[in-house]
Amino acid sequence: MILAGDIGGTKTNLALYDWTTERVEPVREDSFHSADYKTLEEIIEEFLSAPLPKPPAEDEPGNEPVEAPAEETTEAPELPPEPIKLTAACFGVAGPVIDNRCRTTNLPWVIDGATLAERFAIPQVRLLNDLEATAHGLLLLNPDEIVVLNAGAPPKKKQALALIAAGTGLGECILYWDGTRYRPMPSEGGHTDFAPNSDSEIDLLRHLRGSYLHVSYERIVSGPGLHAIYEYLRDTKKNEPTWLAEKIKVGNPAAEIADAGLKGQAEIAKQTLDLFASIYGAEAGNLALKALTLDGVYVAGGIAPKLLKKLQDGSFMRGFTNKGRYKRIMSQIPVKVVMNDKTALLGAASTAAQLSSSASA
């Protein structure tokens, strides 16, 4: 049995798999609100303490059990569940992983692979950057788990892929072709400097500099970033409807803004989504240019599937291709949205399975 985890700033997903070589469904899976726990160890301990689901009973016709007389019926004592024996574990973590250790970016946690291995008696534990884990999962996705934004015209000889994912933060990853397969390279590109492309974006940068000394793409292309764009428009255009202001106060700001914008219920929300999609596309294009990822760019994370309708209206791709003399090349790069929100968990599981297999070989 292997353990896989996707450790994010908002939620932590854990799953147990009986994985050998091919992708399989998890034996058990659960999700936890990350901020409710002081450490990852607390979440793992809670997760592993729950018993594994019992396999369904096989009811064959003609082999129905004979019921014993009522006076002979005895209730068997309930035995404690056997401890789960793990052969390997892998966790995708939102933050830089150095020497199998990570100080998470959006949580006050320090996660150490060696400490986890000792605490839970796991022979092998590996930490990956969350986008590196997503990249491993990307290679296992089925066609129906992907939506194409731009078909493009990739070269016949394999080059490289890029992965960008907005959620609580902004993650980026590059996958290079080694002659046999794609290999993920972790990155913290989401924390690079935001580069405005219009007068409105210049004003947005000025607005954000009032709160941050360093304005990265993550400050804009993320859930909190969507809210930040909205606040900029609210403070400059003064067009916030009272009903939406009230919903934002009591609900999830990014979700309420996105819902109002997608439904066309408020002009300020529509303008927020326009700016967000354009800047998201521009940074996806920047990543593609820096690594010349002619084989394609994948847009993953929790936000893209929820804003798919907006990403499909052309604003994302206009931001992506708006690279001056390189517009023609940019238009030839395939761009696809990952619809499976468990791709990072899938990638962590595949890595743990490889660790388990290599140990038993």
Side-chain angles (χ1 to χ4, degrees):
M1 193 73 68
I2 60 171
L3 173 63
D6 175 20
I7 319 302
T10 301
K11 63 181 179 179
T12 291
N13 295 321
L14 296 181
L16 289 167
Y17 292 84
D18 188 11
W19 188 319
T20 51
T21 55
E22 301 296 328
R23 171 182 171 178
V24 297
E25 293 301 310
V27 174
R28 182 158 60 80
E29 181 181 350
D30 206 349
S31 185
F32 304 84
H33 189 253
S34 302
D36 291 343
Y37 298 83
K38 294 181 180 179
T39 64
L40 175 61
E41 286 89 332
E42 289 182 10
I43 297 179
I44 296 174
E45 189 166 342
E46 181 178 324
F47 178 73
L48 294 179
S49 65
L52 291 174
K54 294 180 181 179
E58 295 183 6
D59 296 327
E60 297 183 12
N63 290 336
E64 290 81 4
V66 178
E67 292 186 10
E71 62 272 18
E72 296 180 13
T73 302
T74 58
E75 188 172 330
E78 187 173 337
L79 299 175
E82 291 187 11
I84 299 169
K85 186 177 180 181
L86 297 171
T87 57
C90 179
F91 303 95
V93 187
V97 175
I98 302 171
D99 295 331
N100 213 29
R101 190 171 186 269
C102 178
R103 185 179 296 275
T104 56
T105 305
N106 294 308
L107 284 171
W109 293 357
V110 174
I111 303 173
D112 185 88
T115 301
L116 294 176
E118 182 178 357
R119 169 82 176 270
F120 298 101
I122 309 173
Q124 297 190 80
V125 175
R126 179 172 296 175
L127 303 185
L128 301 175
N129 172 264
D130 59 338
L131 259 288
E132 187 180 359
T134 304
H136 283 288
L138 194 68
L139 305 176
L140 299 170
L141 293 178
N142 299 317
D144 62 354
E145 295 174 309
I146 294 168
V147 173
V148 176
L149 290 185
N150 184 54
K156 293 180 180 179
K157 186 176 179 181
K158 291 188 182 297
Q159 303 288 319
L161 293 168
L163 173 64
I164 187 167
T168 305
L170 178 66
E172 299 184 1
C173 185
I174 297 161
L175 297 88
Y176 69 93
W177 181 255
D178 70 355
T180 304
R181 62 190 180 96
Y182 289 107
R183 291 185 177 272
M185 290 177 56
S187 166
E188 289 297 330
H191 297 280
T192 55
D193 306 335
F194 167 56
N197 275 304
S198 66
D199 290 342
S200 180
E201 291 180 15
I202 290 171
D203 290 339
L204 171 62
L205 175 61
R206 289 196 180 102
H207 175 85
L208 290 173
R209 280 181 58 82
S211 302
Y212 307 106
L213 289 175
H214 174 242
V215 180
S216 66
Y217 272 98
E218 180 172 283
R219 297 294 187 190
I220 299 166
V221 185
S222 62
L226 188 69
H227 189 204
I229 295 174
Y230 178 90
E231 290 179 319
Y232 151 68
L233 292 172
R234 178 199 65 195
D235 295 347
T236 55
K237 295 184 179 295
K238 311 294 184 183
N239 62 341
E240 180 183 40
T242 303
W243 64 266
L244 182 53
E246 292 300 320
K247 291 189 76 172
I248 289 172
K249 284 181 183 178
V250 299
N252 179 313
E256 297 295 348
I257 295 163
D259 184 62
L262 290 173
K263 292 177 179 177
Q265 294 175 332
E267 186 62 29
I268 185 174
K270 290 165 59 179
Q271 292 170 354
T272 298
L273 293 188
D274 285 341
L275 260 177
F276 181 87
S278 178
I279 296 170
Y280 200 171
E283 175 56 3
N286 291 341
L287 179 60
L289 273 180
K290 288 173 183 175
L292 206 60
T293 58
L294 301 180
D295 289 352
V297 173
Y298 286 82
V299 185
I303 291 179
K306 296 171 185 173
L307 294 185
L308 181 62
K309 181 181 176 183
K310 181 61 192 175
L311 299 184
Q312 290 175 317
D313 74 1
S315 51
F316 182 95
M317 284 307 303
R318 283 192 293 273
F320 184 87
T321 59
N322 185 26
K323 305 298 179 189
R325 293 170 292 173
Y326 277 74
K327 183 174 183 178
R328 183 181 62 82
I329 289 178
M330 299 303 293
S331 65
Q332 294 175 345
I333 297 176
V335 181
K336 303 173 183 180
V337 176
V338 176
M339 301 301 291
N340 185 338
D341 63 353
K342 301 294 174 60
T343 305
L345 193 64
L346 186 63
S350 70
T351 300
Q354 290 172 13
L355 290 173
S356 182
S357 298
S358 62
S360 59

